[in-house]
Amino acid sequence: MKTNRIAVQFAFVFSAFLLMVLVSYFFVRSILEKEIDAAAAGALGTAELRLYATLQESELILAEASYLIRNRLFPGQKEGIQDFLREYTGWIGEADGGIGYSSGFLDLYGCFRGQFVSSSGWEAPDSYVPHERPWYIAARENPYKTAFTALYTNTVTGENVISVSKSLYGPEGEFYGVIAMEISIDNIAEYVENMSIAAGGYGLMLNQDLSFIIHPDPARIGKYMGQFSRNHEKITAILRSGEKDTAAVRVLGPENKIMVTYYKQLFNGWYVGLATPLVSYYEDLWHMSIVLSAQGIILVSLISYLLIRLNREKNKSETENRSKSSFLAKMSHEIRTPMNSILGMSEIIMRKDIPGDLYEYISIINQAGTSLLAIINDILDLSKIESGQMKLEPKFYCFSSLINDVINMIHIRFADRPVDFFVNTDSAIPAWLFGDEVRIRQILLNLLNNAAKYTKEGFVILNIQSKIIWEGKLELEIEVSDSGIGIKEEDLKRLFNEFSRLDLSHNQGVEGTGLGLPIALNLCKAMEGDITVESSYDNGSTFTARIVQGFTDLKKTAALTRPPAKGVLILEERPRFYRFLNAALEGLGVSPRRAETLDVFIRELEEGKNDFAFVSSRYAADSVAAVGKNPSPPHLVIMVEKGEGTAYRDINCILMPIYSITMANVLNGTSIGRSLPRDHHRTEFTAPSIGVLIVDDISTNLRVAKELMAAYGMVIDTCLSGSHAVEMVKNKRYDLIFLDHMMPDMDGLEVAAKIRAMGISDEYYRKLPLIMLTANALTGQRELFLKNGADDFLAKPIETKKLNAILEKWIPREKRINSLAEEKDHPDKKSPPLPGIPGLDQIRGMQNSGDDPAIYRDILSSFSHDAADKAGELKEAAEKGDLGLYTILVHALKGAARSVGALEFGEDAALMEEAARREDAETIKEKTAPLLEKLTSLLNSINASLLHDEVPAALQAGTAVPGLMELKNALVNMHIGEVNTLLLQYALMPLDKKTKDRITEIEQFILLFEYDKAIKCIDLLLN
């Protein structure tokens, strides 16, 4: 393989060399030909002038003689003409430097009124008939013009001569005769024959009949040029067609030499020509070619030597890269496989309704797993960049969705530290952009994560602006500023080095690999941009990334459809917070008013002077109470800060940070802002008619995948081997199959190949969507899968968002049921699972528990026990005046009550929480007892309903389920492996819904390590 590659490279080099020589030859030849053509044209032009001057002398002599003779003939005088011609000829010869010598003049003669006379005294014999001579015929054929004869031999001297003749006419046009002058062409021949632009060249001349007048080969004199060769005939054809010139036509010359000829027409219709030997014509070109070839051979030798060296180094580098790629692929698979279980299980648990502290612990596990996965992805991305395999996948994406996702993901980084996170986005950014959304999200997260890591307190600001650079293209400027530790000036040059960590002595506790910034920089450069940084040590840093994105529509990301008529009021005492709120509103064309104090804000709420009023959650209780006193209150918007949870009924609650997009949504009435926590686990649709097969050789992976897909309501089968999967596909028609890539007996690609092979006889197997599950996220996986019969792939650990995208893509729209739309359009379909309980919104509580009545009943039971315990502790804290403990307890009751749907009690608890925070001991002393009475009444109602409902539900669920006793014994004896095996068997069993709900409840308790509760549930089923 390597030998072939080297051979191809050498072949390419030699081909390039040959091409270079040929191209050089072509261009040099073109240049030389142009130079030779120009030289030939110059020589012929000079010859034309010279010959014109020579022949013009003959015309002048003849014209003068014609005039004098015509005057003699006019009176009828005929005698004395010969004497006149003799005298005139003598006068021409005697003139010093006379023109007759240079013109080659020989004789002046003519035939006048039938009598032939000659200045030489020559008497024509009887056989000489003037009317038949060429000079007479030429003059008669060209009346009133000077005519030139073809070359002929003088009958007296034997010289090759031509005659210039002219007809003579009287005043009335009567014909007098013809006068002619005989000229020797020896002078002209000598000049023409010596014309040359290269050694071995010569000149030639043709008359108007295209016969040679002058030629170095005497045998060709007087003969028609076209008779000598096909190329001669080609020249005559060109000249006869009316062309006055020919250029670079090859002909066979004397001694059979190939000559390159040029011709130019003279004023009298003759042609002067120039012939150059082909050898001389291309001599310089050949010399140049030899020089070029020699240089090329030297260059090729040098390149060949370099190629050999480079191939050696490349082979060495490729060996190292293959080793690294193999290691990365194995590392990716080995780490992602357990990560799939960790993240998948944590995701499943977070979907359940669990206590707030447990949810927080699971969230931390999920976040840590996600961080580890991010590190793996960074290492893989670096590998792709180094190998040149990092490819952008541009497509249209929603800018507001991208920013919302980024803020939701990064916001949690600031939850446990005193860092304020602010966002400012240009509202004029087009709503839809064209680019690689995934990579842009990566740039944003890398920059923001970097700021979060090095900012222990203070602020982090994300500022995004845009400017149009040309039609259909804009530049996004992403600026991330922080008040963190900053960067030393000497460290700035190493900032974007891979695996580089700066100021380690100062940053010992900061996590990271040093890959985020180098990857972000490379991605920016791939998007025609860059990253710059400004920093002052101990005073923070500002990173500015610029990238180019496409767009087709200038519709803004954030714009108001109905601007507030009365205005917007804000209560925000902190200057920096207010500045960003104000910027978001002014970017939308709204100028807000600021309430300086809570009292001013409350007064304006009661008076209803504004359309919207924004208030921090710290003042939520007072603000809600004030709105209740106004029959036409403004739209109150509670700005929820990090770590706060609020759910006031019919009150808009939006999470900080607030920026132009969320602000526009609130003012337009289209959204209440970014979602409150835990909403992201809900599925957007169900597909109960869809049959799915999941194939994986690891039971934990099967369980995770099945649980994640269970929310979609599909009919799910699982399988632990590829060969078994093939048999299952033969026996049952599935709508979608998920195949693990790497399995021991038969891997996913082999399964895909066998399924596709069955498509020869059944089209179903050719169109059946096959999705590969892979823990190998290296470049080229998608192409590998598509090439081998798969339709798509899903990376492990399975992310809910990506799973949802895959299912949306491959499940036909007509088979999907929009669960959110169903809830909105048919709210009456839901009914409370228990008899009516005063003060309890069971529909809201069911929504918080996955809309599962059985789970909701269990949650209510837990709430009843926990709230009763907390009530006693709360009473004791109030009596002791322990406001810190009181705040914690009432806060827990508030959250739990709202979670189960006890909204009214939750609001009362929130008011008491605010009072405790204000250290209002009098209110706590006065209102704690009524609060506990309301709680006791609520708990009594819940317990009575649960007692009424429990026995029937348990009996209905108590169908014969095999293996329950074995499961109980395994739990009692702590045989966890056996427990997992039995639970997997239950996942594969066709159980009725209520029994499956009980089994799910048992699984939940096991996952939470609450084995005693799980055993109680098993006993309930057994009884």
Side-chain angles (χ1 to χ4, degrees):
M1 187 67 180
K2 295 177 183 177
T3 305
N4 290 341
R5 185 175 63 192
I6 296 173
V8 169
Q9 290 175 342
F10 276 117
F12 174 77
V13 170
F14 281 106
S15 299
F17 162 67
L18 183 60
L19 181 63
M20 179 191 73
V21 172
L22 291 176
V23 171
S24 301
Y25 181 87
F26 172 79
F27 280 108
V28 171
R29 172 179 174 173
S30 178
I31 293 169
L32 290 176
E33 284 180 349
K34 287 180 180 178
E35 289 182 355
I36 294 172
D37 290 349
L44 292 176
T46 302
E48 180 185 26
L49 293 175
R50 175 73 179 270
L51 296 173
Y52 176 80
T54 301
L55 296 175
Q56 190 69 21
E57 293 177 29
S58 303
E59 284 197 63
L60 290 173
I61 294 172
L62 186 65
E64 185 178 12
S66 299
Y67 174 76
L68 295 173
I69 291 174
R70 186 170 55 247
N71 288 341
R72 285 177 174 272
L73 293 173
F74 173 66
Q77 182 180 353
K78 187 177 178 182
E79 294 77 13
I81 297 296
Q82 187 170 10
D83 294 335
F84 168 74
L85 292 177
R86 189 181 297 113
E87 291 175 5
Y88 186 73
T89 302
W91 173 77
I92 293 172
E94 289 174 0
D96 185 22
I99 57 174
Y101 294 115
S102 62
S103 65
F105 170 74
L106 293 176
D107 190 12
L108 188 64
Y109 55 92
C111 181
F112 310 106
R113 291 182 175 169
Q115 181 181 358
F116 175 81
V117 292
S118 171
S119 64
S120 64
W122 180 74
E123 292 185 5
D126 294 339
S127 60
Y128 184 84
V129 181
H131 298 79
E132 296 176 355
R133 300 302 294 173
W135 53 269
Y136 191 93
I137 295 171
R140 293 297 286 161
E141 289 177 350
N142 296 278
Y144 300 102
K145 293 181 181 180
T146 302
F148 289 81
T149 67
L151 188 68
Y152 63 93
T153 303
N154 186 292
T155 55
V156 178
T157 63
E159 291 183 81
N160 289 327
V161 297
I162 60 171
S163 292
V164 183
S165 60
K166 189 173 184 179
S167 297
L168 301 179
Y169 297 93
E172 302 298 329
E174 62 273 22
F175 176 69
Y176 287 162
V178 173
I179 184 172
M181 185 173 74
E182 195 168 70
I183 301 172
S184 171
I185 64 167
D186 290 343
N187 291 340
I188 297 174
E190 183 180 359
Y191 171 75
V192 171
E193 287 175 355
N194 290 325
M195 285 195 313
S196 176
I197 58 173
Y202 54 85
L204 20 76
M205 184 176 285
L206 304 171
N207 64 8
Q208 61 266 37
D209 296 325
L210 301 180
S211 297
F212 286 112
I213 298 174
I214 299 171
H215 195 285
D217 183 1
R220 298 193 181 189
I221 299 296
K223 294 183 179 179
Y224 177 62
M225 180 177 64
Q227 73 184 57
F228 292 103
S229 72
R230 186 172 296 176
N231 280 354
H232 281 95
E233 187 177 357
K234 177 181 176 182
I235 297 173
T236 59
I238 293 172
L239 297 178
R240 288 190 185 281
S241 68
E243 293 289 334
K244 295 186 177 181
D245 305 286
T246 64
V249 179
R250 298 183 186 185
V251 298
L252 194 63
E255 300 178 3
N256 292 324
K257 289 183 179 179
I258 299 176
M259 310 295 288
V260 180
T261 60
Y262 301 83
Y263 285 92
K264 183 177 183 64
Q265 189 177 37
L266 300 176
F267 69 97
N268 63 347
W270 292 1
Y271 297 88
V272 62
L274 187 65
T276 300
L278 185 64
V279 175
S280 300
Y281 185 80
Y282 288 112
E283 184 176 11
D284 291 338
L285 177 61
W286 290 335
H287 290 165
M288 186 69 71
S289 300
I290 292 170
V291 172
L292 284 173
S293 299
Q295 291 177 342
I297 291 170
I298 295 171
L299 183 61
V300 167
S301 300
L302 179 61
I303 292 175
S304 299
Y305 171 74
L306 292 175
L307 276 176
I308 293 171
R309 291 290 303 273
L310 285 173
N311 270 292
R312 287 176 183 172
E313 295 300 322
K314 187 175 181 181
N315 290 337
K316 181 180 177 182
S317 175
E318 284 179 351
T319 302
E320 293 173 353
N321 282 336
R322 276 195 297 272
S323 298
K324 183 173 74 172
S325 296
S326 176
F327 167 74
L328 288 173
K330 188 172 182 180
M331 181 198 73
S332 171
H333 184 269
E334 294 300 326
I335 295 179
R336 282 173 176 270
T337 298
M339 285 301 299
N340 181 51
S341 300
I342 295 170
L343 292 178
M345 284 301 183
S346 63
E347 176 82 14
I348 292 167
I349 295 172
M350 290 166 70
R351 288 183 178 184
K352 311 295 183 182
D353 193 83
I354 55 178
D357 55 347
L358 189 57
Y359 182 89
E360 183 177 353
Y361 301 151
I362 299 298
S363 296
I364 292 171
I365 293 173
N366 190 274
Q367 181 187 349
T370 303
S371 298
L372 178 57
L373 191 61
I375 293 173
I376 297 170
N377 289 336
D378 280 348
I379 296 172
L380 294 176
D381 283 343
L382 179 64
S383 173
K384 294 175 187 176
I385 291 170
E386 287 180 343
S387 62
Q389 295 179 337
M390 176 65 76
K391 296 179 182 178
L392 299 179
E393 296 182 6
K395 60 183 179 181
F396 282 101
Y397 65 92
C398 178
F399 178 74
S400 60
S401 176
L402 168 68
I403 297 303
N404 249 341
D405 288 348
V406 168
I407 293 172
N408 282 332
M409 284 188 276
I410 202 66
H411 190 258
I412 195 171
R413 293 295 304 270
F414 307 110
D416 58 349
R417 66 183 81 175
V419 177
D420 296 321
F421 180 40
F422 302 100
V423 177
N424 180 38
T425 60
D426 182 1
S427 60
I429 295 174
W432 288 89
L433 297 178
F434 185 76
D436 192 330
E437 179 184 10
V438 173
R439 296 306 179 185
I440 298 169
R441 181 185 289 107
Q442 189 174 1
I443 293 170
L444 285 164
L445 289 174
N446 283 1
L447 293 178
L448 288 168
N449 275 320
N450 185 71
K453 285 190 294 187
Y454 296 102
T455 306
K456 297 179 180 178
E457 59 181 3
F459 63 83
V460 171
I461 300 171
L462 170 62
N463 182 27
I464 304 179
Q465 303 296 317
S466 70
K467 65 177 179 180
I468 297 176
I469 51 179
W470 61 77
E471 185 177 357
K473 292 285 185 181
L474 60 79
E475 181 184 76
L476 283 183
E477 183 179 273
I478 303 166
E479 185 180 273
V480 177
S481 305
D482 64 67
S483 60
I485 61 175
I487 307 167
K488 294 178 180 178
E489 187 174 353
E490 60 269 25
D491 288 336
L492 285 173
K493 59 185 179 183
R494 297 190 296 115
L495 183 61
F496 294 99
N497 290 351
E498 297 156 4
F499 299 104
S500 177
R501 301 288 305 281
L502 307 181
D503 199 8
L504 290 178
S505 60
H506 199 164
N507 302 317
Q508 284 292 336
V510 179
E511 79 279 3
T513 59
L515 292 177
L517 290 178
I519 289 172
L521 176 62
N522 279 284
L523 291 175
C524 284
K525 288 182 177 180
M527 299 181 195
E528 306 175 58
D530 201 356
I531 296 180
T532 58
V533 59
E534 296 177 4
S535 183
S536 175
Y537 195 58
D538 286 334
N539 289 311
S541 307
T542 298
F543 287 81
T544 304
R546 294 176 178 85
I547 57 176
V548 175
Q549 297 289 277
F551 69 93
T552 56
D553 190 347
L554 285 173
K555 181 182 178 182
K556 296 181 179 180
T557 295
L560 296 184
T561 56
R562 47 176 188 270
K566 292 194 242 180
V568 174
L569 179 67
I570 298 176
L571 174 59
E572 179 51 75
E573 298 169 341
R574 296 162 295 184
R576 183 176 283 121
F577 280 76
Y578 177 76
R579 187 168 71 248
F580 279 91
L581 290 171
N582 185 68
L585 285 165
E586 288 189 342
L588 298 170
V590 176
S591 297
R593 291 191 307 107
R594 184 178 186 184
E596 298 296 334
T597 64
L598 176 61
D599 293 338
V600 173
F601 185 77
I602 295 297
R603 185 171 62 251
E604 294 215 18
L605 282 182
E606 293 173 349
E607 294 173 358
K609 294 181 177 180
N610 302 280
D611 293 311
F612 287 88
F614 290 80
V615 64
S616 170
S617 55
R618 293 177 298 159
Y619 305 116
D622 295 313
S623 301
V624 170
V627 167
K629 298 177 182 179
N630 188 341
S632 301
H635 296 284
L636 181 63
V637 182
I638 298 175
M639 299 179 291
V640 182
E641 302 195 33
K642 60 182 180 181
E644 291 289 336
T646 200
Y648 287 97
R649 197 164 32 184
D650 302 324
I651 300 294
N652 284 355
C653 299
I654 58 176
L655 288 174
M656 299 286 274
I658 299 172
Y659 50 103
S660 60
I661 297 172
T662 53
M663 188 68 78
N665 289 339
V666 171
L667 298 183
N668 289 331
T670 58
S671 171
I672 63 168
R674 290 186 15 253
S675 302
L676 295 173
R678 297 174 72 167
D679 288 346
H680 66 284
H681 301 293
R682 298 193 63 185
T683 56
E684 297 181 1
F685 66 88
T686 58
S689 65
I690 294 296
V692 175
L693 174 63
I694 308 172
V695 186
D696 199 309
D697 62 306
I698 299 176
S699 59
T700 306
N701 288 346
L702 278 180
R703 185 173 178 184
V704 168
K706 183 175 181 179
E707 286 288 344
L708 290 175
M709 295 185 201
Y712 295 90
M714 301 180 293
V715 180
I716 301 174
D717 290 340
T718 58
C719 176
L720 284 165
S721 72
S723 56
H724 188 200
V726 173
E727 295 302 317
M728 292 180 71
V729 172
K730 289 179 180 178
N731 297 324
K732 184 176 179 180
R733 299 251 164 170
Y734 293 97
D735 298 285
L736 194 59
I737 297 181
F738 289 86
L739 293 168
D740 184 38
H741 175 206
M742 302 179 72
M743 294 185 289
D745 64 328
M746 183 186 294
D747 66 25
L749 295 180
E750 291 175 306
V751 175
K754 286 188 175 295
I755 292 174
R756 295 303 185 216
M758 291 188 284
I760 298 174
S761 57
D762 191 338
E763 188 180 16
Y764 159 76
Y765 296 106
R766 281 192 285 113
K767 295 185 176 181
L768 175 61
L770 303 179
I771 312 300
M772 301 302 296
L773 294 171
T774 178
N776 183 355
L778 290 176
T779 299
Q781 290 299 300
R782 179 182 180 84
E783 291 75 12
L784 173 67
F785 296 148
L786 296 181
K787 182 180 178 181
N788 286 276
D791 296 290
D792 213 329
F793 82 102
L794 183 62
K796 297 178 186 177
I798 298 173
E799 298 177 30
T800 305
K801 187 175 181 179
K802 292 181 178 178
L803 173 62
N804 194 75
I806 286 287
L807 294 176
E808 275 192 344
K809 180 177 180 181
W810 294 106
I811 295 178
R813 184 180 298 273
E814 62 272 13
K815 293 188 177 183
R816 298 200 303 257
I817 300 173
N818 190 330
S819 56
L820 299 180
E822 284 284 308
E823 292 174 14
K824 182 178 179 181
D825 297 339
H826 306 286
D828 54 316
K829 284 188 177 181
K830 294 180 181 177
S831 58
L834 298 172
I837 301 175
L840 186 66
D841 186 344
Q842 295 187 52
I843 301 302
R844 179 72 66 90
M846 287 228 326
Q847 290 175 353
N848 294 335
S849 57
D851 288 328
D852 190 319
I855 293 176
Y856 180 57
R857 283 192 293 268
D858 294 334
I859 291 171
L860 279 177
S861 177
S862 298
F863 170 73
S864 176
H865 291 98
D866 293 342
D869 294 338
K870 292 286 191 300
E873 295 175 16
L874 186 69
K875 181 180 179 181
E876 185 179 349
E879 291 172 350
K880 291 181 178 180
D882 189 344
L883 296 183
L885 178 59
Y886 187 94
T887 303
I888 294 171
L889 292 170
V890 77
H891 176 82
L893 282 172
K894 176 192 71 174
R898 288 173 175 168
S899 178
V900 298
L903 302 180
E904 185 177 344
F905 175 79
E907 290 181 11
D908 292 341
L911 293 173
M912 296 305 293
E913 181 185 0
E914 289 294 333
R917 292 183 187 279
R918 295 195 306 269
E919 298 184 356
D920 187 351
E922 184 177 347
T923 300
I924 291 172
K925 183 178 180 181
E926 178 184 344
K927 295 186 177 181
T928 297
L931 178 71
L932 292 176
E933 289 177 5
K934 183 177 287 189
L935 176 60
T936 301
S937 175
L938 175 65
L939 295 180
N940 289 337
S941 298
I942 291 174
N943 289 332
S945 295
L946 287 173
L947 184 61
H948 179 270
D949 184 68
E950 183 67 25
V951 174
L955 291 175
Q956 290 171 2
T959 57
V961 181
L964 283 176
M965 202 65 212
E966 291 85 345
L967 180 60
K968 178 179 177 180
N969 292 334
L971 283 170
V972 170
N973 296 312
M974 299 295 289
H975 295 160
I976 304 304
E978 186 178 349
V979 170
N980 288 332
T981 301
L982 290 169
L983 289 177
L984 180 60
Q985 291 176 0
Y986 289 133
L988 301 176
M989 286 182 187
L991 303 174
D992 63 86
K993 186 177 185 306
K994 290 193 175 182
T995 305
K996 185 173 287 188
D997 290 342
R998 285 297 180 191
I999 295 296
T1000 301
E1001 185 179 2
I1002 293 169
E1003 288 185 53
Q1004 179 182 350
F1005 285 131
I1006 293 172
L1007 286 171
L1008 300 178
F1009 306 105
E1010 296 180 355
Y1011 298 143
D1012 54 339
K1013 292 184 179 180
I1015 291 171
K1016 287 181 182 180
C1017 286
I1018 293 173
D1019 288 338
L1020 190 62
L1021 281 175
L1022 288 172
N1023 295 329

